[in-house]
Amino acid sequence: MPIPGSGLAKGLAVTLRTMTKRSHTAQYPEVQPELPPRTRGVIGLFEENCTVCMLCARECPDWCIYIDSHKETVPAAAPGGRERSRNVLDRFAIDFSLCMYCGICIEVCPFDALFWSPEFEYAETDILDLTHERDKLRQWMWTVPAPPALDPAAEEPKELAAARKAADKAEAAAAAAAAADRASAGPAAGGPASGAAPGGTAPGTGTPGEADA
């Protein structure tokens, strides 16, 4: 059973410990704070990776992502091939007055087109200016920190292992094909079989077809 007044004693002990320490005031904005690399400040867009799959807009719980696109016909890469169509991004905007910074859009993006930037100084006097279009979202990409280095003892990513396996398989197939080509070209490059001179001349004689004496 707890002793009466123990909670008050613990609270006073915390107060006594902290009241003897000097307070430290961050001189913001003259001195910028050192933010963790995974700070959720603002979202940057790398539109070259965007395929307009609309997955981020569908999964957003606040519906604050606006995407417009149109289809474009791509000519066939080879003669006789079939033309293909692809989506072209026309608009990508995020309304940060509605955004709850949950990060779901970044997590569900299958092509790594959205990234967290630690920048947080984008307050506006007009709420309409908090809707960042794709040009402004692209500018935030310059402030996205580099990914942390992998742990040397960590397991190799599956993507790298699969790519290395495919490269090794292709290299082995190319080496086998080159060896087969050399083997098939060997007798032809070596000339007639040993024991007969070129032109059917018997060894040691100048007369075709005569045996050695």
Side-chain angles (χ1 to χ4, degrees):
M1 183 164 180
I3 301 175
S6 60
L8 178 61
K10 290 180 181 179
L12 291 175
V14 174
T15 303
L16 291 174
R17 283 199 306 268
T18 57
M19 69 182 297
T20 57
K21 298 179 181 179
R22 290 190 60 183
S23 61
H24 176 72
T25 302
Q27 301 299 324
Y28 177 84
E30 287 77 13
V31 179
Q32 293 292 322
E34 294 183 2
L35 300 175
R38 298 182 65 183
T39 299
R40 298 186 177 188
V42 71
I43 299 174
L45 170 67
F46 189 59
E47 66 177 88
E48 284 80 1
N49 286 356
C50 182
T51 60
V52 201
C53 65
M54 306 292 291
L55 193 58
C56 57
R58 289 198 300 266
E59 296 296 330
C60 178
D62 291 334
W63 292 88
C64 63
I65 300 177
Y66 312 109
I67 301 176
D68 292 330
S69 66
H70 69 276
K71 288 189 177 294
E72 190 176 80
T73 302
V74 180
R82 186 178 62 180
E83 293 183 347
R84 298 182 180 273
S85 62
R86 66 183 180 93
N87 292 323
V88 179
L89 183 65
D90 293 328
R91 185 195 182 201
F92 195 110
I94 300 178
D95 187 356
F96 286 102
S97 65
L98 296 176
C99 179
M100 57 187 282
Y101 301 90
C102 62
I104 292 179
C105 58
I106 297 175
E107 294 176 3
V108 301
C109 180
F111 300 103
D112 292 334
L114 297 173
F115 297 88
W116 277 120
S117 169
E119 294 292 330
F120 61 92
E121 296 176 323
Y122 52 93
E124 302 288 349
T125 57
D126 188 354
I127 194 173
L128 298 178
D129 294 333
L130 285 174
T131 300
H132 294 185
E133 298 292 337
R134 65 176 184 175
D135 294 337
K136 194 167 186 178
L137 294 175
R138 177 59 181 267
Q139 293 178 4
W140 294 123
M141 281 300 301
W142 300 109
T143 59
V144 172
L150 295 177
D151 187 350
E155 183 181 354
E156 184 181 41
K158 296 180 180 180
E159 294 82 2
L160 290 179
R164 184 174 293 106
K165 184 177 180 181
D168 294 341
K169 186 177 180 180
E171 185 177 355
D181 292 341
R182 288 194 299 268
S184 60
S194 59
T201 304
T205 64
T207 306
E210 292 183 359
D212 292 341

